[in-house]
Short mmCIF file of all heavy atoms in Angstrom, two decimals:
data_model
loop_
_atom_site.label_atom_id
_atom_site.label_comp_id
_atom_site.label_asym_id
_atom_site.label_seq_id
_atom_site.Cartn_x
_atom_site.Cartn_y
_atom_site.Cartn_z
N MET V 17 0.85 -1.21 0.00
CA MET V 17 0.00 0.00 0.00
C MET V 17 0.88 1.25 0.00
O MET V 17 1.72 1.42 0.87
CB MET V 17 -0.89 -0.02 1.24
CG MET V 17 -1.76 1.21 1.40
SD MET V 17 -3.19 1.24 0.30
CE MET V 17 -4.08 -0.22 0.85
N ALA V 18 0.73 2.08 -0.99
CA ALA V 18 1.51 3.32 -1.06
C ALA V 18 1.04 4.28 0.02
O ALA V 18 -0.15 4.37 0.31
CB ALA V 18 1.33 3.94 -2.43
N THR V 19 1.99 4.95 0.62
CA THR V 19 1.63 5.94 1.62
C THR V 19 2.25 7.28 1.27
O THR V 19 3.18 7.37 0.47
CB THR V 19 2.10 5.55 3.04
OG1 THR V 19 3.51 5.41 3.02
CG2 THR V 19 1.45 4.27 3.50
N GLU V 20 1.71 8.29 1.90
CA GLU V 20 2.18 9.64 1.67
C GLU V 20 2.39 10.28 3.04
O GLU V 20 1.60 10.06 3.95
CB GLU V 20 1.09 10.39 0.91
CG GLU V 20 1.44 11.80 0.52
CD GLU V 20 0.24 12.43 -0.17
OE1 GLU V 20 -0.34 11.80 -1.06
OE2 GLU V 20 -0.12 13.54 0.23
N THR V 21 3.48 11.03 3.20
CA THR V 21 3.75 11.67 4.47
C THR V 21 3.25 13.11 4.44
O THR V 21 3.64 13.88 3.57
CB THR V 21 5.26 11.65 4.78
OG1 THR V 21 5.69 10.29 4.78
CG2 THR V 21 5.55 12.26 6.13
N GLN V 22 2.38 13.42 5.37
CA GLN V 22 1.90 14.80 5.50
C GLN V 22 2.68 15.48 6.61
O GLN V 22 3.02 14.86 7.62
CB GLN V 22 0.42 14.82 5.84
CG GLN V 22 -0.44 14.21 4.76
CD GLN V 22 -1.92 14.26 5.11
OE1 GLN V 22 -2.30 14.32 6.27
NE2 GLN V 22 -2.75 14.23 4.09
N ARG V 23 2.96 16.77 6.44
CA ARG V 23 3.72 17.52 7.44
C ARG V 23 2.94 18.74 7.88
O ARG V 23 2.24 19.37 7.09
CB ARG V 23 5.04 18.00 6.84
CG ARG V 23 5.98 16.89 6.54
CD ARG V 23 7.11 17.35 5.64
NE ARG V 23 7.72 16.19 4.99
CZ ARG V 23 8.54 15.35 5.62
NH1 ARG V 23 8.89 15.58 6.87
NH2 ARG V 23 9.02 14.31 5.00
N ARG V 24 3.12 19.09 9.14
CA ARG V 24 2.47 20.28 9.65
C ARG V 24 3.23 20.75 10.88
O ARG V 24 3.73 19.93 11.63
CB ARG V 24 1.03 19.96 10.06
CG ARG V 24 0.17 21.19 10.20
CD ARG V 24 -1.19 20.83 10.75
NE ARG V 24 -1.06 20.39 12.15
CZ ARG V 24 -2.10 20.07 12.93
NH1 ARG V 24 -3.31 20.10 12.46
NH2 ARG V 24 -1.91 19.71 14.18
N ARG V 25 3.32 22.05 11.05
CA ARG V 25 3.93 22.56 12.28
C ARG V 25 3.00 22.28 13.44
O ARG V 25 1.81 22.56 13.34
CB ARG V 25 4.17 24.07 12.16
CG ARG V 25 5.44 24.39 11.44
CD ARG V 25 5.93 25.77 11.82
NE ARG V 25 7.28 25.96 11.34
CZ ARG V 25 8.37 25.48 11.97
NH1 ARG V 25 8.24 24.80 13.08
NH2 ARG V 25 9.56 25.69 11.48
N GLY V 26 3.55 21.74 14.51
CA GLY V 26 2.73 21.45 15.67
C GLY V 26 3.53 21.68 16.94
O GLY V 26 4.72 21.98 16.88
N ARG V 27 2.85 21.51 18.05
CA ARG V 27 3.47 21.78 19.33
C ARG V 27 3.55 20.49 20.14
O ARG V 27 2.53 19.98 20.58
CB ARG V 27 2.67 22.85 20.07
CG ARG V 27 3.35 23.34 21.29
CD ARG V 27 2.84 24.74 21.67
NE ARG V 27 3.67 25.30 22.74
CZ ARG V 27 4.83 25.86 22.55
NH1 ARG V 27 5.31 25.97 21.32
NH2 ARG V 27 5.54 26.31 23.55
N CYS V 28 4.76 20.00 20.34
CA CYS V 28 4.98 18.82 21.16
C CYS V 28 5.11 19.24 22.62
O CYS V 28 5.76 20.24 22.91
CB CYS V 28 6.26 18.12 20.70
SG CYS V 28 6.74 16.75 21.77
N PRO V 29 4.51 18.48 23.54
CA PRO V 29 4.63 18.84 24.96
C PRO V 29 6.07 18.83 25.46
O PRO V 29 6.41 19.56 26.39
CB PRO V 29 3.78 17.79 25.68
CG PRO V 29 3.36 16.79 24.68
CD PRO V 29 3.63 17.35 23.31
N ARG V 30 6.94 18.04 24.86
CA ARG V 30 8.33 17.95 25.32
C ARG V 30 9.31 18.73 24.46
O ARG V 30 10.35 19.16 24.94
CB ARG V 30 8.77 16.49 25.38
CG ARG V 30 8.23 15.77 26.61
CD ARG V 30 8.22 14.28 26.40
NE ARG V 30 9.57 13.75 26.30
CZ ARG V 30 9.84 12.48 25.99
NH1 ARG V 30 8.86 11.66 25.77
NH2 ARG V 30 11.07 12.07 25.93
N HIS V 31 9.02 18.90 23.20
CA HIS V 31 10.00 19.50 22.29
C HIS V 31 9.58 20.85 21.73
O HIS V 31 10.29 21.41 20.90
CB HIS V 31 10.29 18.54 21.15
CG HIS V 31 10.89 17.24 21.61
ND1 HIS V 31 10.14 16.10 21.76
CD2 HIS V 31 12.14 16.93 21.99
CE1 HIS V 31 10.92 15.11 22.21
NE2 HIS V 31 12.13 15.59 22.36
N GLY V 32 8.45 21.36 22.14
CA GLY V 32 8.02 22.66 21.63
C GLY V 32 7.54 22.55 20.19
O GLY V 32 6.98 21.54 19.79
N THR V 33 7.80 23.60 19.41
CA THR V 33 7.32 23.61 18.03
C THR V 33 8.17 22.69 17.17
O THR V 33 9.39 22.82 17.12
CB THR V 33 7.38 25.05 17.48
OG1 THR V 33 6.62 25.90 18.32
CG2 THR V 33 6.80 25.11 16.07
N VAL V 34 7.52 21.74 16.52
CA VAL V 34 8.24 20.78 15.68
C VAL V 34 7.51 20.65 14.34
O VAL V 34 6.35 21.05 14.20
CB VAL V 34 8.31 19.38 16.34
CG1 VAL V 34 9.19 19.41 17.58
CG2 VAL V 34 6.92 18.85 16.65
N GLU V 35 8.21 20.07 13.36
CA GLU V 35 7.59 19.71 12.09
C GLU V 35 7.00 18.33 12.26
O GLU V 35 7.71 17.33 12.16
CB GLU V 35 8.67 19.73 10.99
CG GLU V 35 8.14 19.39 9.64
CD GLU V 35 7.75 20.61 8.82
OE1 GLU V 35 7.36 21.64 9.41
OE2 GLU V 35 7.83 20.54 7.61
N ALA V 36 5.71 18.27 12.56
CA ALA V 36 5.07 17.00 12.84
C ALA V 36 4.68 16.30 11.54
O ALA V 36 4.43 16.95 10.54
CB ALA V 36 3.83 17.22 13.71
N THR V 37 4.67 14.98 11.57
CA THR V 37 4.36 14.22 10.37
C THR V 37 3.34 13.13 10.68
O THR V 37 3.18 12.71 11.83
CB THR V 37 5.62 13.53 9.80
OG1 THR V 37 6.14 12.64 10.76
CG2 THR V 37 6.67 14.55 9.42
N ARG V 38 2.67 12.67 9.64
CA ARG V 38 1.86 11.45 9.74
C ARG V 38 1.83 10.81 8.36
O ARG V 38 1.93 11.49 7.34
CB ARG V 38 0.44 11.77 10.23
CG ARG V 38 -0.40 12.54 9.24
CD ARG V 38 -1.79 12.78 9.77
NE ARG V 38 -2.54 13.68 8.89
CZ ARG V 38 -3.71 14.20 9.19
NH1 ARG V 38 -4.25 13.96 10.36
NH2 ARG V 38 -4.34 15.00 8.34
N ASP V 39 1.69 9.50 8.37
CA ASP V 39 1.59 8.75 7.11
C ASP V 39 0.14 8.40 6.86
O ASP V 39 -0.53 7.85 7.72
CB ASP V 39 2.42 7.47 7.18
CG ASP V 39 3.91 7.77 7.19
OD1 ASP V 39 4.30 8.81 6.64
OD2 ASP V 39 4.66 6.96 7.73
N VAL V 40 -0.33 8.70 5.68
CA VAL V 40 -1.70 8.34 5.29
C VAL V 40 -1.61 7.65 3.93
O VAL V 40 -0.64 7.81 3.21
CB VAL V 40 -2.62 9.58 5.19
CG1 VAL V 40 -2.83 10.21 6.56
CG2 VAL V 40 -2.07 10.60 4.20
N PRO V 41 -2.64 6.84 3.59
CA PRO V 41 -2.62 6.17 2.29
C PRO V 41 -2.58 7.19 1.14
O PRO V 41 -3.28 8.18 1.18
CB PRO V 41 -3.94 5.39 2.28
CG PRO V 41 -4.35 5.26 3.70
CD PRO V 41 -3.81 6.48 4.39
N ALA V 42 -1.74 6.93 0.15
CA ALA V 42 -1.71 7.78 -1.03
C ALA V 42 -2.94 7.51 -1.87
O ALA V 42 -3.49 6.42 -1.86
CB ALA V 42 -0.45 7.50 -1.84
N VAL V 43 -3.38 8.54 -2.59
CA VAL V 43 -4.57 8.37 -3.44
C VAL V 43 -4.13 7.90 -4.82
O VAL V 43 -3.63 8.68 -5.62
CB VAL V 43 -5.39 9.68 -3.53
CG1 VAL V 43 -6.58 9.49 -4.45
CG2 VAL V 43 -5.85 10.10 -2.15
N THR V 44 -4.26 6.59 -5.05
CA THR V 44 -3.93 6.00 -6.35
C THR V 44 -5.15 5.21 -6.80
O THR V 44 -6.11 5.05 -6.05
CB THR V 44 -2.72 5.06 -6.23
OG1 THR V 44 -3.01 4.08 -5.23
CG2 THR V 44 -1.47 5.83 -5.84
N PHE V 45 -5.11 4.67 -8.01
CA PHE V 45 -6.24 3.91 -8.51
C PHE V 45 -6.50 2.69 -7.65
O PHE V 45 -5.55 2.03 -7.27
CB PHE V 45 -5.96 3.47 -9.96
CG PHE V 45 -7.14 2.82 -10.61
CD1 PHE V 45 -8.12 3.60 -11.18
CD2 PHE V 45 -7.27 1.45 -10.60
CE1 PHE V 45 -9.22 3.00 -11.78
CE2 PHE V 45 -8.37 0.85 -11.19
CZ PHE V 45 -9.35 1.63 -11.77
N PRO V 46 -7.72 2.32 -7.28
CA PRO V 46 -8.96 3.04 -7.57
C PRO V 46 -9.14 4.26 -6.66
O PRO V 46 -9.09 4.14 -5.44
CB PRO V 46 -10.04 1.99 -7.30
CG PRO V 46 -9.42 1.03 -6.32
CD PRO V 46 -7.93 1.06 -6.57
N TRP V 47 -9.34 5.39 -7.27
CA TRP V 47 -9.29 6.68 -6.59
C TRP V 47 -10.25 6.77 -5.42
O TRP V 47 -9.85 7.17 -4.31
CB TRP V 47 -9.61 7.81 -7.57
CG TRP V 47 -8.81 7.71 -8.82
CD1 TRP V 47 -9.25 7.28 -10.05
CD2 TRP V 47 -7.42 8.00 -8.98
NE1 TRP V 47 -8.22 7.30 -10.94
CE2 TRP V 47 -7.09 7.75 -10.33
CE3 TRP V 47 -6.44 8.46 -8.11
CZ2 TRP V 47 -5.80 7.94 -10.82
CZ3 TRP V 47 -5.16 8.65 -8.61
CH2 TRP V 47 -4.85 8.39 -9.94
N LEU V 48 -11.49 6.40 -5.63
CA LEU V 48 -12.49 6.59 -4.58
C LEU V 48 -12.15 5.75 -3.36
O LEU V 48 -12.20 6.23 -2.23
CB LEU V 48 -13.88 6.24 -5.11
CG LEU V 48 -15.01 6.46 -4.10
CD1 LEU V 48 -15.10 7.92 -3.69
CD2 LEU V 48 -16.34 5.99 -4.67
N TYR V 49 -11.75 4.52 -3.60
CA TYR V 49 -11.39 3.61 -2.51
C TYR V 49 -10.27 4.20 -1.65
O TYR V 49 -10.35 4.24 -0.43
CB TYR V 49 -10.97 2.27 -3.12
CG TYR V 49 -10.37 1.31 -2.13
CD1 TYR V 49 -11.18 0.63 -1.22
CD2 TYR V 49 -8.99 1.08 -2.11
CE1 TYR V 49 -10.63 -0.26 -0.32
CE2 TYR V 49 -8.43 0.19 -1.20
CZ TYR V 49 -9.26 -0.47 -0.31
OH TYR V 49 -8.70 -1.34 0.59
N HIS V 50 -9.24 4.69 -2.28
CA HIS V 50 -8.11 5.24 -1.53
C HIS V 50 -8.44 6.58 -0.91
O HIS V 50 -7.94 6.93 0.16
CB HIS V 50 -6.88 5.35 -2.44
CG HIS V 50 -6.25 4.03 -2.69
ND1 HIS V 50 -6.32 3.39 -3.90
CD2 HIS V 50 -5.58 3.20 -1.87
CE1 HIS V 50 -5.71 2.22 -3.81
NE2 HIS V 50 -5.25 2.08 -2.59
N TRP V 51 -9.28 7.34 -1.58
CA TRP V 51 -9.69 8.63 -1.01
C TRP V 51 -10.45 8.40 0.30
O TRP V 51 -10.22 9.09 1.29
CB TRP V 51 -10.55 9.40 -2.03
CG TRP V 51 -10.97 10.72 -1.51
CD1 TRP V 51 -10.23 11.87 -1.50
CD2 TRP V 51 -12.22 11.03 -0.89
NE1 TRP V 51 -10.95 12.87 -0.92
CE2 TRP V 51 -12.17 12.40 -0.53
CE3 TRP V 51 -13.37 10.31 -0.61
CZ2 TRP V 51 -13.23 13.04 0.09
CZ3 TRP V 51 -14.42 10.95 0.02
CH2 TRP V 51 -14.35 12.29 0.36
N VAL V 52 -11.34 7.40 0.32
CA VAL V 52 -12.09 7.09 1.54
C VAL V 52 -11.15 6.62 2.65
O VAL V 52 -11.22 7.06 3.79
CB VAL V 52 -13.18 6.03 1.26
CG1 VAL V 52 -13.80 5.51 2.55
CG2 VAL V 52 -14.27 6.62 0.36
N ARG V 53 -10.23 5.71 2.29
CA ARG V 53 -9.26 5.22 3.28
C ARG V 53 -8.44 6.36 3.84
O ARG V 53 -8.13 6.41 5.02
CB ARG V 53 -8.33 4.19 2.64
CG ARG V 53 -8.94 2.83 2.50
CD ARG V 53 -7.92 1.86 1.94
NE ARG V 53 -6.71 1.86 2.76
CZ ARG V 53 -6.48 1.00 3.75
NH1 ARG V 53 -7.35 0.07 4.01
NH2 ARG V 53 -5.37 1.07 4.43
N ARG V 54 -8.02 7.27 2.98
CA ARG V 54 -7.19 8.38 3.40
C ARG V 54 -7.96 9.32 4.32
O ARG V 54 -7.43 9.76 5.34
CB ARG V 54 -6.74 9.12 2.15
CG ARG V 54 -5.88 10.31 2.39
CD ARG V 54 -5.91 11.12 1.12
NE ARG V 54 -5.10 12.30 1.19
CZ ARG V 54 -3.86 12.38 0.72
NH1 ARG V 54 -3.29 11.33 0.20
NH2 ARG V 54 -3.21 13.49 0.80
N THR V 55 -9.20 9.61 3.97
CA THR V 55 -10.02 10.49 4.80
C THR V 55 -10.21 9.88 6.19
O THR V 55 -10.12 10.56 7.21
CB THR V 55 -11.39 10.74 4.14
OG1 THR V 55 -11.16 11.31 2.85
CG2 THR V 55 -12.24 11.66 4.97
N MET V 56 -10.43 8.56 6.24
CA MET V 56 -10.58 7.90 7.54
C MET V 56 -9.27 7.94 8.32
O MET V 56 -9.26 8.16 9.53
CB MET V 56 -11.04 6.46 7.34
CG MET V 56 -12.54 6.41 7.06
SD MET V 56 -13.17 4.84 6.40
CE MET V 56 -12.14 3.64 7.17
N ALA V 57 -8.15 7.74 7.63
CA ALA V 57 -6.84 7.77 8.30
C ALA V 57 -6.55 9.17 8.84
O ALA V 57 -5.98 9.32 9.92
CB ALA V 57 -5.74 7.34 7.33
N GLU V 58 -6.95 10.19 8.10
CA GLU V 58 -6.70 11.56 8.55
C GLU V 58 -7.50 11.88 9.82
O GLU V 58 -7.06 12.67 10.64
CB GLU V 58 -7.05 12.55 7.44
CG GLU V 58 -5.99 12.57 6.35
CD GLU V 58 -6.37 13.44 5.18
OE1 GLU V 58 -7.53 13.89 5.11
OE2 GLU V 58 -5.50 13.66 4.32
N ARG V 59 -8.68 11.28 9.94
CA ARG V 59 -9.46 11.49 11.16
C ARG V 59 -8.86 10.75 12.34
O ARG V 59 -8.89 11.21 13.45
CB ARG V 59 -10.88 10.97 10.95
CG ARG V 59 -11.70 11.94 10.16
CD ARG V 59 -13.17 11.63 10.32
NE ARG V 59 -13.91 12.24 9.22
CZ ARG V 59 -14.98 11.70 8.69
NH1 ARG V 59 -15.45 10.56 9.15
NH2 ARG V 59 -15.60 12.30 7.71
N ARG V 60 -8.34 9.57 12.06
CA ARG V 60 -7.89 8.67 13.12
C ARG V 60 -6.47 8.99 13.57
O ARG V 60 -6.13 8.88 14.74
CB ARG V 60 -7.94 7.25 12.56
CG ARG V 60 -7.66 6.14 13.54
CD ARG V 60 -7.75 4.80 12.82
NE ARG V 60 -6.76 4.72 11.75
CZ ARG V 60 -7.01 4.26 10.53
NH1 ARG V 60 -8.20 3.84 10.23
NH2 ARG V 60 -6.06 4.22 9.63
N GLU V 61 -5.64 9.39 12.63
CA GLU V 61 -4.20 9.46 12.88
C GLU V 61 -3.78 10.90 13.19
O GLU V 61 -3.92 11.77 12.35
CB GLU V 61 -3.49 8.96 11.62
CG GLU V 61 -2.02 8.78 11.74
CD GLU V 61 -1.63 7.71 12.75
OE1 GLU V 61 -2.41 6.75 12.94
OE2 GLU V 61 -0.57 7.84 13.34
N PRO V 62 -3.27 11.17 14.39
CA PRO V 62 -2.82 12.52 14.70
C PRO V 62 -1.46 12.79 14.06
O PRO V 62 -0.72 11.86 13.74
CB PRO V 62 -2.72 12.51 16.22
CG PRO V 62 -2.41 11.09 16.57
CD PRO V 62 -3.09 10.25 15.52
N PHE V 63 -1.11 14.06 13.91
CA PHE V 63 0.26 14.42 13.57
C PHE V 63 1.13 14.12 14.78
O PHE V 63 0.74 14.36 15.91
CB PHE V 63 0.34 15.90 13.23
CG PHE V 63 -0.16 16.22 11.85
CD1 PHE V 63 -1.48 16.56 11.63
CD2 PHE V 63 0.70 16.18 10.77
CE1 PHE V 63 -1.95 16.85 10.35
CE2 PHE V 63 0.26 16.47 9.48
CZ PHE V 63 -1.08 16.80 9.28
N ARG V 64 2.32 13.56 14.53
CA ARG V 64 3.19 13.15 15.63
C ARG V 64 4.55 13.83 15.56
O ARG V 64 5.08 14.08 14.49
CB ARG V 64 3.40 11.64 15.60
CG ARG V 64 2.13 10.88 15.92
CD ARG V 64 2.36 9.39 15.94
NE ARG V 64 1.12 8.68 16.18
CZ ARG V 64 0.60 8.51 17.41
NH1 ARG V 64 1.24 8.96 18.47
NH2 ARG V 64 -0.53 7.87 17.56
N CYS V 65 5.10 14.07 16.75
CA CYS V 65 6.45 14.63 16.86
C CYS V 65 7.47 13.65 16.28
O CYS V 65 7.42 12.47 16.59
CB CYS V 65 6.75 14.89 18.34
SG CYS V 65 8.45 15.40 18.63
N PRO V 66 8.40 14.12 15.44
CA PRO V 66 9.40 13.22 14.88
C PRO V 66 10.41 12.75 15.92
O PRO V 66 11.09 11.74 15.72
CB PRO V 66 10.07 14.06 13.79
CG PRO V 66 9.82 15.48 14.18
CD PRO V 66 8.52 15.49 14.93
N GLU V 67 10.54 13.48 17.02
CA GLU V 67 11.52 13.12 18.06
C GLU V 67 11.02 12.01 18.97
O GLU V 67 11.74 11.08 19.28
CB GLU V 67 11.82 14.36 18.93
CG GLU V 67 12.30 15.56 18.17
CD GLU V 67 13.77 15.43 17.80
OE1 GLU V 67 14.47 14.63 18.44
OE2 GLU V 67 14.20 16.13 16.87
N CYS V 68 9.78 12.17 19.45
CA CYS V 68 9.29 11.24 20.47
C CYS V 68 8.01 10.52 20.07
O CYS V 68 7.58 9.62 20.78
CB CYS V 68 9.10 11.99 21.80
SG CYS V 68 7.84 13.26 21.71
N GLY V 69 7.38 10.91 18.98
CA GLY V 69 6.19 10.21 18.54
C GLY V 69 4.91 10.61 19.25
O GLY V 69 3.87 10.03 19.01
N ALA V 70 5.00 11.62 20.13
CA ALA V 70 3.79 12.07 20.83
C ALA V 70 2.91 12.87 19.89
O ALA V 70 3.42 13.59 19.02
CB ALA V 70 4.18 12.93 22.03
N PRO V 71 1.60 12.74 20.03
CA PRO V 71 0.71 13.57 19.20
C PRO V 71 0.92 15.05 19.52
O PRO V 71 1.12 15.40 20.69
CB PRO V 71 -0.70 13.13 19.62
CG PRO V 71 -0.52 11.82 20.32
CD PRO V 71 0.86 11.83 20.91
N VAL V 72 0.89 15.89 18.51
CA VAL V 72 1.09 17.33 18.73
C VAL V 72 -0.24 18.06 18.56
O VAL V 72 -1.17 17.53 17.95
CB VAL V 72 2.13 17.91 17.74
CG1 VAL V 72 3.45 17.20 17.87
CG2 VAL V 72 1.61 17.84 16.32
N ASP V 73 -0.30 19.25 19.09
CA ASP V 73 -1.51 20.08 18.94
C ASP V 73 -1.56 20.69 17.55
O ASP V 73 -0.53 21.04 17.00
CB ASP V 73 -1.51 21.22 19.97
CG ASP V 73 -1.71 20.69 21.37
OD1 ASP V 73 -2.29 19.59 21.52
OD2 ASP V 73 -1.26 21.36 22.30
ZN1 ZN D 115 8.49 15.46 20.97
#
């Protein structure tokens, strides 16, 4: 399953402002199927600190 890394600035409780990342399914054929999976992953999966893996705000 192809994945795509999303990045966003976030605030880690231990490391302050970090470039947080999360992996979500990439949208490839069949488009609708992967789009639904990705939307669900985006709801479920928080952005995480690259240093400690804690969810960031
Ligand atoms: Zn951290």
Side-chain angles (χ1 to χ4, degrees):
M17 177 76 62
T19 60
E20 183 183 312
T21 302
Q22 297 181 335
R23 292 165 200 284
R24 198 187 68 176
R25 277 203 168 280
R27 189 157 189 80
C28 173
R30 282 159 67 186
H31 298 99
T33 303
V34 293
E35 180 94 331
T37 61
R38 69 178 172 189
D39 290 333
V40 293
V43 178
T44 55
F45 187 84
W47 310 104
L48 182 61
Y49 171 75
H50 285 108
W51 180 81
V52 170
R53 281 184 55 94
R54 179 197 181 97
T55 302
M56 281 165 34
E58 285 174 350
R59 282 197 200 146
R60 186 180 62 224
E61 188 64 30
F63 282 92
R64 292 182 183 278
C65 173
E67 304 282 340
C68 64
V72 302
D73 290 336

